[in-house]
Amino acid sequence: MELVMLHCQKYEVLLHVLFEHAAGYALFAVKEVEEIGMLLPQVEESILNIGKFNSMVSLAAFFPFKSAQAALENINAISEGVVHGDLKLFLETNLPQVGKKAMLGVSDTKIGAALQEELGMSIQTGGVVAEIIRGVRLHFHALVKGLTALAASKAQLGLGHSYSRAKVKFNVNRADNMIIQSIALLDQLDKDINTFSMRVREWYGYHFPELIKVVPDNSTYCRLAQLIGNRKELSEESLPSLEEVVMDSAKAQAVLDASRSSMGMDISPIDLINIERFSCRVVSLAAYRLELQEYLRSKMGQVAPNLAALIGEVVGARLISHAGSLTNLAKYPASTVQILGAEKALFRALKTRGNTPKYGLIFHSTFIGRAAAKNKGRISRYLANKCTLASRIDCFSEVPTSVFGDKLRDQVEERLSFYETGEAPRKNLDVMKEAVKEAGEVAAEIKKKQKKDKKRKKKEKLIKEEAIEEANGQAEENEANGQSDTSVVKKKKKQEAVEVKTEEAPETGNGVEDATTPSKKKKKRKSEAMEVEPVAEETPQTPGTEKKKKIKKETLE
């Protein structure tokens, strides 16, 4: 955004230019304004030359943005036509006070009107203002000291990214974008499946023409073509599989009888393979269409539950898609919603002065089909009124619930019975009181559930963080104690190896152990001998034993 300030002083006109950049606000003083206005072609040429442009323009003040967030706030305010507090303070501080003769040139009419209200100055745009702004934009980095071209481009790039990100993030239509794309894809799939099914019928009809009369449904026909293949291979054994596809034993038997007496031509195996592949693709497309319809139903329950409960998911999605967004649909009056989708018929009727259409897309709802011919216009007008209420509730309510949609649907049912039987429906005031009460209770329950979910998620997050911290601590301890652990393990392994060797050591024939036995065994034997010796002393010595001892001593000597 660029702003230009013109003010008059006795006999000379001094022009002040306020240029808004990604780096901040800059105020420039311009000399010889009248001559510049008279010689615009020469000024256009001199703007390209920085030397000549410097002789006309000089920097009066510069206000840099403190942070990227401040820059984003200022640019959002200016794009919406709102005067930010920083901009107002900067202008009031640095602009000379000239009174009623002061003029302000603005390139944007929105911000110009806002500044006129804030500062009480007359606004001017175009002419000299545009040319000077063009020159300032071209030579801004050279006019402001300490600012390089690289820094200015980086500031512009960063602000541009943050501005675009904020616009995408705060897009009010982001929730219903998926509904618009889903309903468009659903309509396209319907057309494609219908076209492909007709191709399968025509292709497989050369081989088995009687199958079309027995099975008229497109998706069932493609599944049967994929299952049967060559009709000559059909037998009584294939009846159960045919019943699974057709869901009728009589039809399955009819298909089997028709295959036996068919007038179709023979088909080669390679042609049959291509037909089966193509029919398989059509069957998969039909299955994907069912999944997409289920996704659309769940999405409508989240975004527009009241509209879906009133008129159905598909018709409600078509209304949102045709309007462009749920917000646009909520802004439409009931008369516009009634003929939404029948614009061509409306303008043709206005041109030819004929009867205008009574309904558009809402004709696909079940209510208009159930009404009598004379009451179709009435019920369509009443239904459009309720659709408008439901879309506004969905768009602007904090907690989405389907309570109002169910009540509005009941009102349409009562109005239908009133047209048929004359039974008076309930008053709208009473129904809405009940709906408000029920909606409050449901909203309170939903908020409680949301709080519980938040607490549960926080607990799970804390548990995960604690587990990660414990795992990291154990890993650090293991790394620190890695050497000691390995040494302990090695010692244990050595002890186990020694014990195994002692157990496996062989003994000699006279009971004497090998010389390689460990010292532990010897110590054990000595201790056992010491235990046995006192027992031998306690036994009474006989004269025979004494003689034996004397003989042993003599032999030793």
Side-chain angles (χ1 to χ4, degrees), residues 17-247:
V17 178
L18 179 67
F19 182 76
E20 190 276 332
H21 191 264
Y25 296 118
L27 191 66
F28 295 93
V30 184
K31 303 171 185 178
E32 301 175 353
V33 180
E34 293 180 353
E35 292 181 7
I36 291 172
M38 292 171 63
L39 304 171
L40 269 179
Q42 290 82 350
V43 171
E44 290 175 4
E45 294 176 2
S46 64
I47 279 171
L48 300 174
N49 190 350
I50 183 64
K52 292 181 180 178
F53 191 71
N54 266 331
S55 64
M56 292 189 296
V57 177
S58 61
L59 181 66
F62 180 65
F63 175 74
F65 294 130
K66 295 179 181 178
S67 62
Q69 185 66 29
L72 182 61
E73 289 175 3
N74 277 274
I75 194 66
N76 281 330
I78 289 172
S79 64
E80 293 169 4
V82 179
V83 180
H84 196 269
D86 294 341
L87 176 60
K88 185 179 179 182
L89 180 64
F90 181 67
L91 288 173
E92 289 176 348
T93 306
N94 295 289
L95 283 177
Q97 300 296 328
V98 252
K100 296 181 180 179
K101 293 184 178 180
M103 273 187 169
L104 187 67
V106 182
S107 60
D108 188 14
T109 55
K110 270 185 171 183
I111 194 68
L115 283 169
Q116 187 175 9
E117 290 180 3
E118 290 285 339
L119 303 176
M121 296 180 179
S122 58
I123 303 299
Q124 183 180 350
T125 57
V128 180
V129 173
E131 292 304 320
I132 293 174
I133 286 172
R134 189 164 68 92
V136 170
R137 188 186 297 113
L138 183 63
H139 304 295
F140 182 73
H141 62 277
L143 294 171
V144 178
K145 291 181 181 180
L147 184 69
T148 61
L150 183 62
S153 64
K154 281 184 179 179
Q156 287 176 337
L157 185 64
L159 183 60
H161 278 283
S162 57
Y163 179 76
S164 302
R165 196 180 298 113
K167 282 294 178 186
V168 172
K169 185 178 179 182
F170 295 110
N171 183 12
V172 293
N173 305 324
R174 68 184 183 278
D176 47 20
N177 283 339
M178 302 304 163
I179 292 173
I180 294 169
Q181 297 299 327
S182 299
I183 193 65
L185 181 58
L186 199 66
D187 294 339
Q188 189 65 42
L189 277 176
D190 286 336
K191 293 177 185 177
D192 292 344
I193 290 169
N194 191 25
T195 305
F196 293 158
S197 300
M198 296 305 294
R199 181 63 55 202
V200 172
R201 281 175 175 243
E202 187 178 352
W203 200 354
Y204 193 67
Y206 294 128
H207 178 61
F208 195 178
E210 291 82 7
L211 187 62
I212 299 173
K213 295 179 181 178
V214 180
V215 183
D217 184 55
N218 287 335
S219 62
T220 310
Y221 185 90
C222 293
R223 291 170 66 191
L224 278 177
Q226 183 184 0
L227 175 67
I228 294 169
N230 193 350
R231 61 179 168 78
K232 293 181 179 179
E233 296 176 359
L234 273 179
S235 61
E236 296 289 340
E237 297 176 355
S238 54
L239 267 176
S241 57
L242 289 174
E243 287 181 12
E244 286 182 6
V245 176
V246 182
M247 303 297 291

Side-chain angles (χ1 to χ4, degrees), residues 277-295:
R277 283 183 179 177
F278 186 56
S279 58
C280 180
R281 293 292 177 89
V282 178
V283 169
S284 63
L285 274 178
Y288 173 65
R289 188 202 173 280
L290 293 175
E291 293 176 2
L292 186 66
Q293 191 169 6
E294 189 63 31
Y295 165 74

Side-chain angles (χ1 to χ4, degrees), residues 353-391:
R353 295 183 180 180
N355 294 327
T356 55
K358 297 176 182 177
Y359 29 70
L361 289 170
I362 60 173
F363 176 76
H364 298 288
S365 69
T366 57
F367 298 112
I368 296 175
R370 286 160 51 195
K374 61 179 181 179
N375 296 324
K376 284 186 184 296
R378 291 179 179 179
I379 200 66
S380 67
R381 185 168 61 251
Y382 190 79
L383 182 60
N385 184 13
K386 299 303 177 186
C387 285
T388 306
L389 289 175
S391 62

